[in-house]
């Protein structure tokens, strides 16, 4: 516990980065336990102190990086012809974490009744765990699907069937079959692949924030929900936050930004105009 606290106090790491380190430690210690090198693995009982992380993290700029509705529409339109369109769309519309989108399986999408379940995650430690559990019980959630979204998933399935026939025996779905988002040859994405694809895609949109990460699509969804007037509980349920404090912090920050923007727009109407001195 003291080691992970030091990551926040002295290294100023984010909670997400500390979770990745914890995941790697967990895998290493599990291997050591299996080999008989140690007789007890203490890592599962270690809880990360989110309050300490927020207090000591110096670079909070990434938390503020998200796309507004118009920017998100522009981004999705820019990738509509790429293999990543559906992945980015699902991530942003449902506000999913990277590991949740990667973990979507056909068995969790009911196209007949029109819903999808978040039940499996794909995480990276020393090894890639493709059958992980959601972050918390609140993260296990069900979303309704619109007719357009059902057609989108049907299109993904048709494309998968096309590639399966095209690649024939070399199609790689014999192990861990059922994942929706994967390479054309059926091989599964490595957990870092979507983030790299997003980085390439955002570079092609120079008018959008270039520091935004893939996780920014999740924050974009949350920001749109807040600006649409949904309350904290509704946002928490949609995003799958285990603690209302997480939703409240994001909610309060966005409402503060919205309030200041509104004040600025109203104030400028009555405030004296800026007097510019021309420079020759």
């Amino acid at each position: 516990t003291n080691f992970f606290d030091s990551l926040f106090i002295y290294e100023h790491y984010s909670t997400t980065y500390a979770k990745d380190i914890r995941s790697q430690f967990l895998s290493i210690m599990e291997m050591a336990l299996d080999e008989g090198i140690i007789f007890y693995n203490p890592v599962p009982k270690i809880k990360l102190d989110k309050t300490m992380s927020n207090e000591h993290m110096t670079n909070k700029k990434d938390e503020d990086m998200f796309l507004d509705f118009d920017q998100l529409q522009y981004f999705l339109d820019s990738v509509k012809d790429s293999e990543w369109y559906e992945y980015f769309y699902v991530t942003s519309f449902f506000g999913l974490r990277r590991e949740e989108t990667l973990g979507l399986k056909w068995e969790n999408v009911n196209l007949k009744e029109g819903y999808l379940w978040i039940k499996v995650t794909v995480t990276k430690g020393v090894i890639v765990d493709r059958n992980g559990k959601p972050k918390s019980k609140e993260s296990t959630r069900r979303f309704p699907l619109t007719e357009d979204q059902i057609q989108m998933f049907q299109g993904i399935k048709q494309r998968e069937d096309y590639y399966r026939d095209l690649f024939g025996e070399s199609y790689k779905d014999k192990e861990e079959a059922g994942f929706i988002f994967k390479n054309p040859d059926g091989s599964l994405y490595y957990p870092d692949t979507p983030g790299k694809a997003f980085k390439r895609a955002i570079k092609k949109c120079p008018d959008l924030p270039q520091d935004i990460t893939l996780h920014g699509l999740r924050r974009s969804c949350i920001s749109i929900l807040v600006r649409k007037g949904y309350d904290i509980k509704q946002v928490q349920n949609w995003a799958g936050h285990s603690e209302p404090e997480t939703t409240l912090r994001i909610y309060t920050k966005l409402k503060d930004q919205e309030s200041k923007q509104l004040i600025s727009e109203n104030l400028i109407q009555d405030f004296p105009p800026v007097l510019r001195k021309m420079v020759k």
Side-chain angles (χ1 to χ4, degrees):
T1 302
N2 290 338
F3 168 74
F4 285 99
D5 287 348
S6 71
L7 295 181
F8 301 137
I9 299 172
Y10 301 111
E11 302 297 336
H12 308 293
Y13 286 164
S14 67
T15 306
T16 301
Y17 192 28
K19 283 180 181 177
D20 287 341
I21 295 175
R22 181 186 179 278
S23 177
Q24 294 182 37
F25 265 108
L26 179 61
S27 299
I28 292 171
M29 297 295 277
E30 284 294 328
M31 292 172 62
L33 190 63
D34 292 340
E35 293 292 330
I37 299 173
I38 60 175
F39 300 99
Y40 170 69
N41 183 0
V43 179
K45 292 188 176 182
I46 296 176
K47 304 296 183 182
L48 299 179
D49 191 334
K50 294 182 179 180
T51 303
M52 185 176 295
S53 171
N54 292 330
E55 179 182 350
H56 292 280
M57 190 169 60
T58 55
N59 182 16
K60 295 188 178 183
K61 183 179 180 181
D62 184 59
E63 289 188 351
D64 299 326
M65 298 304 293
F66 57 84
L67 305 177
D68 62 28
F69 181 80
D70 291 334
Q71 289 175 322
L72 183 58
Q73 289 292 104
Y74 171 69
F75 171 73
L76 291 175
D77 186 64
S78 73
V79 297
K80 64 182 180 181
D81 296 324
S82 78
E83 66 172 285
W84 288 98
Y85 171 75
E86 292 89 351
Y87 183 98
F88 293 149
Y89 174 90
V90 170
T91 299
S92 56
F93 184 89
F94 298 106
L96 302 185
R97 303 174 178 90
R98 176 191 67 177
E99 59 267 25
E100 293 173 340
T101 311
L102 281 174
L104 280 176
K105 292 186 175 184
W106 288 115
E107 64 188 49
N108 304 135
V109 179
N110 190 319
L111 299 181
K112 184 177 181 180
E113 298 184 21
Y115 64 81
L116 68 83
W117 278 98
I118 303 300
K119 289 186 174 182
V120 178
T121 63
V122 175
T123 56
K124 181 186 71 173
V126 174
I127 60 174
V128 176
D129 181 3
R130 298 193 182 276
N131 289 287
K133 295 181 180 180
K135 188 176 180 181
S136 63
K137 71 174 183 178
E138 289 80 10
S139 297
T140 303
R141 55 207 191 278
R142 191 174 90 163
F143 294 103
L145 294 174
T146 66
E147 286 298 323
D148 285 343
Q149 290 166 349
I150 291 174
Q151 291 179 15
M152 178 189 70
F153 279 107
Q154 289 172 337
I156 296 174
K157 191 69 174 69
Q158 291 172 1
R159 188 171 62 208
E160 177 184 305
D161 293 339
Y162 167 79
Y163 281 123
R164 182 179 284 104
D165 291 339
L166 181 65
F167 283 91
E169 293 183 359
S170 63
Y171 192 78
K172 307 180 187 302
D173 69 342
K174 297 172 180 60
E175 296 181 5
E176 303 176 313
F179 285 96
I180 295 175
F181 296 108
K182 51 197 171 188
N183 292 302
D185 67 352
S187 60
L188 303 181
Y189 289 138
Y190 192 69
D192 289 341
T193 303
K196 293 177 180 178
F198 178 80
K199 190 174 183 179
R200 291 193 299 270
I202 207 72
K203 282 185 177 180
K204 296 180 181 179
C205 304
D207 293 336
L208 298 180
Q210 293 299 296
D211 293 336
I212 190 171
T213 64
L214 176 63
H215 195 68
L217 293 182
R218 171 172 163 80
R219 286 193 296 270
S220 299
C221 172
I222 294 173
S223 72
I224 292 172
L225 292 176
V226 172
R227 295 182 191 282
K228 287 287 187 180
Y230 293 99
D231 62 38
I232 294 175
K233 188 63 177 177
Q234 289 172 312
V235 176
Q236 180 187 1
N237 289 339
W238 187 270
H241 288 147
S242 59
E243 300 174 0
E245 290 80 6
T246 303
T247 311
L248 180 61
R249 177 169 56 85
I250 298 173
Y251 187 93
T252 302
K253 181 182 293 186
L254 290 171
K255 280 297 183 182
D256 180 60
Q257 293 175 358
E258 190 177 66
S259 175
K260 289 178 180 177
Q261 180 65 31
L262 181 61
I263 291 174
S264 176
E265 292 173 356
N266 289 332
L267 188 60
I268 198 66
Q269 297 178 17
D270 301 318
F271 210 78
V274 177
L275 299 178
R276 295 184 177 87
K277 184 176 181 180
M278 301 301 293
V279 178
K280 296 182 179 181

